Amino acid sequence: MGMQGDFLQLLKEQGYTLSVPAAMGAGHALTNATTILAFKYRDGVLVAGDRRATAGNMVMYDRTDKVLEIDRHSVMAIAGVPATAYEMVRVLEHSFKYYRRTQLQELSFDGKLRAISKLLKDNVPAALAGTGAVVPVFAGYDLEQGSAKIYFYDILGAEFEGVEYAVSGSGSPTIRGILHYLNTWGDQPLNQLPEEQAMVQALRLLTSAAEFDSATGGVNREASLYPVIKLITGAGVQTVPDATLKPLYESQVVRYV
């Protein structure tokens, strides 16, 4: 019998395993590649991701949601194979809800981090077989400490705190350098940016990533296609609508590219 409130243990007792058969690895073009980022701004943390999903050199879909809300105060941005990542997010969503309903309290922020790490470790056989690697960025608001936090992971489940920012995906080397430059020598550190300026920076960063990484989708104004951007504060997760991003992009991004 597992520990009370442990949804993952409950799933295992029912025979559930998070894995992709290794035999699927050879000869199959799996959907992957992306650019996701998170950085702290004045009111909390911003998480953003492009929307392109590719399989090899083919663009499979241009409206993928790679920034997924797990609960009211946390999101997971996904880089890697969407099928595996979506399953992880569903398990985490139910796991956090299961703990809340059985223990009559929210799972701690550290508990959420351990749950993600455990899922990634369970996925190691599929990741090493090249069939189901996921390299996520987790961001949320720690209500106990009253602060926003960012963590990133490797495929084996090791977690690392992004003190100011974190990136992942095929386009991440480009924008990691830009984030370091902005945070070190910009007009002001990223964690002092007001909300609107933080959204402008996210649009510029993803536009830069798309310029140098073919697996990262850019903005398509004709199709009303913009990145997914979510803001996390003490009040919860807020999804920024396209109607807000469109004028910001047209006035403060497009004239510079």
Side-chain angles (χ1 to χ4, degrees), residues 45-160:
V45 58
L46 177 150
V47 187
D50 81 293
R51 304 187 67 179
R52 172 170 291 178
T54 60
N57 63 351
M58 293 186 62
V59 177
M60 302 297 293
Y61 191 52
D62 254 342
R63 295 183 182 276
T64 308
D65 185 355
K66 302 174 184 175
V67 185
L68 304 169
E69 187 172 340
I70 300 178
D71 64 12
R72 188 182 172 194
H73 290 94
S74 59
V75 305
M76 192 165 90
I78 57 172
V81 177
T84 306
Y86 288 154
E87 185 175 3
M88 285 184 179
V89 170
R90 282 194 292 269
V91 170
L92 290 169
E93 182 180 0
H94 287 291
S95 181
F96 295 177
K97 188 181 297 182
Y98 179 76
Y99 185 91
R100 182 168 61 250
R101 292 183 176 177
T102 57
Q103 304 304 303
L104 303 179
Q105 61 181 330
E106 295 287 342
L107 182 61
S108 68
F109 196 87
D110 285 344
K112 295 176 182 178
L113 295 176
R114 299 294 94 76
I116 296 170
S117 181
K118 194 169 187 300
L119 269 183
L120 289 169
K121 287 175 182 173
D122 288 345
N123 192 52
V124 166
L128 294 180
T131 59
V134 177
V135 190
V137 171
F138 176 76
Y141 198 88
D142 188 338
L143 293 171
E144 294 179 357
Q145 297 191 11
S147 61
K149 296 181 179 178
I150 304 168
Y151 283 82
F152 59 100
Y153 295 79
D154 66 15
I155 63 172
L156 301 181
E159 67 187 33
F160 308 92

Side-chain angles (χ1 to χ4, degrees), residues 10 30 33 43 124 178 186 215 217:
L10 178 65
L30 297 175
D43 303 320
V124 166
I178 300 175

Side-chain angles (χ1 to χ4, degrees), residues 125-206:
L128 294 180
T131 59
V134 177
V135 190
V137 171
F138 176 76
Y141 198 88
D142 188 338
L143 293 171
E144 294 179 357
Q145 297 191 11
S147 61
K149 296 181 179 178
I150 304 168
Y151 283 82
F152 59 100
Y153 295 79
D154 66 15
I155 63 172
L156 301 181
E159 67 187 33
F160 308 92
E161 183 172 8
V163 177
E164 299 294 341
Y165 56 80
V167 297
S168 187
S170 57
S172 62
T174 298
I175 60 172
R176 186 181 181 192
I178 300 175
L179 278 164
H180 175 75
Y181 181 90
L182 290 173
N183 197 49
T184 307
W185 295 290
D187 293 337
Q188 56 186 339
L190 294 169
N191 63 16
Q192 295 180 18
L193 292 176
E195 180 179 295
E196 182 175 297
Q197 196 57 38
M199 289 188 288
V200 170
Q201 289 294 11
L203 289 169
R204 289 176 177 174
L205 287 162
L206 289 175

